[in-house]
Amino acid sequence: METVVIALGGNAVLQPGQRGTFEEQLANVATTARAIRLVLEDGYRVVVTHGNGPQVGNIMLQNEEARGVVPPFPLDACGAESQGLLGYMLVRSLISELRTHGLERAVVALMTMTVVSPEDPAFQNPTKPIGPFYSQARAMELIVQRGYEMREDSGRGWRRVVPSPDPLEIVEAATIRRLVEEGVVVVASGGGGIPVVRTSDGGIAGVEAVIDKDLAAHRLAEVVDADVLLILTDVEAAALNYGTPAQKDLVGRIPYGEMLRYQREGHFRAGSMGPKVEAALRFVGSCRGRKARRAVIASLYRAREALRGEAGTCIVGDEV
Ligand code: ADP
Ligand code: MG
């Protein structure tokens, strides 16, 4: 039985233009649960991970608006809140979806921490805009009062920027592996995992950072020794010359070396398709001939077809 790690994009929970009510998010998650159920019916072991951008942004906005009443929490704690919320929605939907279709599988969401290096160069160069937009005056206050790094975000206002360090290790790795081996459908590493560092006394401390969910999905795929990393998003495939008249969707099997060349030519934008392709290449490139691995980038609505090789971009090892 093959193991697939499914990485869900933002559209799995919130569609562009929606306000983000709980009911809206639950309705979207129900559609996502259906996609996951179809994959389970095709006989895969499934591990699920997901982004948390809009949800953690909303939690930060709630913190900010209510700061005179309830003390604001640090970013790792906001990440934990969003992970719990999304895990709850996904597991609740999946349990209903599987029960309705007569599939007997245990489903669980695990609070997951991702270890990063305190020496990661990202800490010297925060790049990831997060949370609400502020006026310039408020931004200056936040810089002084809380030591935030703030940047003007393309004419829309000031925003906090935080480091996005490379995920190194998943704290709960051994437990995730055990659950997956037992056939449990595990939701883990939500929002890239709660960012932590190991301390010199052997403990763990939270850090103010966000971890890219696609790169974290690659780590998760290594942990469970997955056969497939399936990255589901809001486009049909990775494309060359994206957004230009010369756009060409990469549909079907693309050898590792060819995809690496396109990546080096700069076809995949930082912050969106870039990390998906990077995660895919890391995953396919690290199997060292032990077994054939593939990474697939496809639309959320074509998960089953993508795994059957009928949709999306499928990156395969050169020798396959
Ligand atoms: P997700 O929430 O699924 O991570 P992102 O917005 O981060 O979604 O990434 C998907 C987006 O990447 C697409 O909607 C598209 O606008 C953008 N994109 C950038 N470069 C490319 C490319 N070369 N091919 C396809 N999509 C691309
Ligand atoms: Mg993204």
Side-chain angles (χ1 to χ4, degrees):
M1 186 186 259
E2 286 196 317
T3 301
V4 56
V5 168
I6 303 181
L8 300 168
N11 64 328
V13 187
L14 206 55
Q15 301 290 329
Q18 288 184 329
R19 275 185 64 232
T21 65
F22 186 61
E23 290 70 25
E24 276 171 348
Q25 299 196 45
L26 259 187
N28 296 328
V29 167
T31 308
T32 302
R34 178 174 181 278
I36 296 169
R37 188 254 305 165
L38 294 174
V39 171
L40 282 163
E41 282 180 347
D42 274 0
Y44 288 88
R45 268 199 194 100
V46 171
V47 185
V48 179
T49 188
H50 57 83
N52 71 341
Q55 291 76 22
V56 82
N58 285 347
I59 290 167
M60 292 172 73
L61 183 55
Q62 288 168 346
N63 271 323
E64 186 56 29
E65 290 294 318
R67 78 191 128 88
V69 190
V70 181
F73 277 14
L75 190 49
D76 54 317
C78 295
E81 284 184 40
S82 71
Q83 205 182 73
L85 170 69
L86 287 159
Y88 164 58
M89 289 196 288
L90 276 163
V91 169
R92 191 178 124 182
S93 283
L94 268 168
I95 288 174
S96 304
E97 175 74 20
L98 298 190
R99 172 64 53 87
T100 309
H101 290 83
L103 259 71
E104 285 296 323
R105 300 292 271 279
V107 186
V108 72
L110 277 190
M111 294 307 296
T112 315
M113 294 178 265
T114 303
V115 179
V116 301
S117 165
E119 322 304 336
D120 194 300
F123 285 106
Q124 305 310 315
N125 178 32
T127 52
K128 178 84 183 161
I130 53 154
F133 292 87
Y134 298 96
S135 69
Q136 183 168 10
R138 180 73 189 134
M140 297 307 137
E141 278 174 23
L142 288 169
I143 292 171
V144 175
Q145 289 170 4
R146 298 205 206 134
Y148 287 179
E149 188 117 1
M150 305 287 296
R151 243 175 252 163
E152 219 281 322
D153 191 342
S154 34
R156 293 178 296 176
W158 286 72
R159 244 179 140 190
R160 185 172 176 202
V161 287
V162 296
S164 188
D166 215 20
L168 296 182
E169 187 200 335
I170 296 173
V171 173
E172 297 78 5
T175 309
I176 295 172
R177 214 177 285 127
R178 273 218 317 264
L179 289 170
V180 172
E181 276 164 13
E182 281 183 24
V184 177
V185 178
V186 180
V187 179
S189 296
I194 302 159
V196 298
V197 293
R198 296 229 183 251
T199 54
S200 52
D201 60 357
I204 287 173
V207 287
E208 301 268 330
V210 295
I211 295 169
D212 182 84
K213 75 116 188 349
D214 296 308
L215 298 182
H218 161 247
R219 282 282 162 226
L220 184 60
E222 295 289 352
V223 160
V224 300
D225 194 19
D227 301 277
V228 194
L229 172 58
L230 175 61
I231 301 178
L232 297 176
T233 184
D234 57 1
V235 287
E236 289 291 323
L240 302 179
N241 306 306
Y242 180 75
T244 74
Q247 176 171 334
K248 180 176 172 279
D249 282 3
L250 296 166
V251 179
R253 289 163 88 88
I254 312 284
Y256 175 86
E258 186 180 336
M259 200 66 183
L260 190 63
R261 197 173 80 238
Y262 298 142
Q263 183 195 41
R264 289 183 178 152
E265 289 168 2
H267 285 284
F268 313 116
R269 261 171 239 166
S272 57
M273 190 51 72
K276 298 184 205 316
V277 172
E278 176 64 23
L281 288 170
R282 285 184 189 183
F283 179 66
V284 173
S286 67
C287 66
R288 288 174 227 99
R290 279 183 299 124
K291 67 176 179 185
R293 281 180 171 181
R294 58 195 200 279
V296 187
I297 300 169
S299 157
L300 171 65
Y301 307 106
R302 317 221 29 213
R304 168 183 260 176
E305 291 85 347
L307 280 179
R308 292 176 173 178
E310 296 160 4
T313 307
C314 179
I315 299 136
V316 295
D318 280 335
E319 69 286 354
V320 181

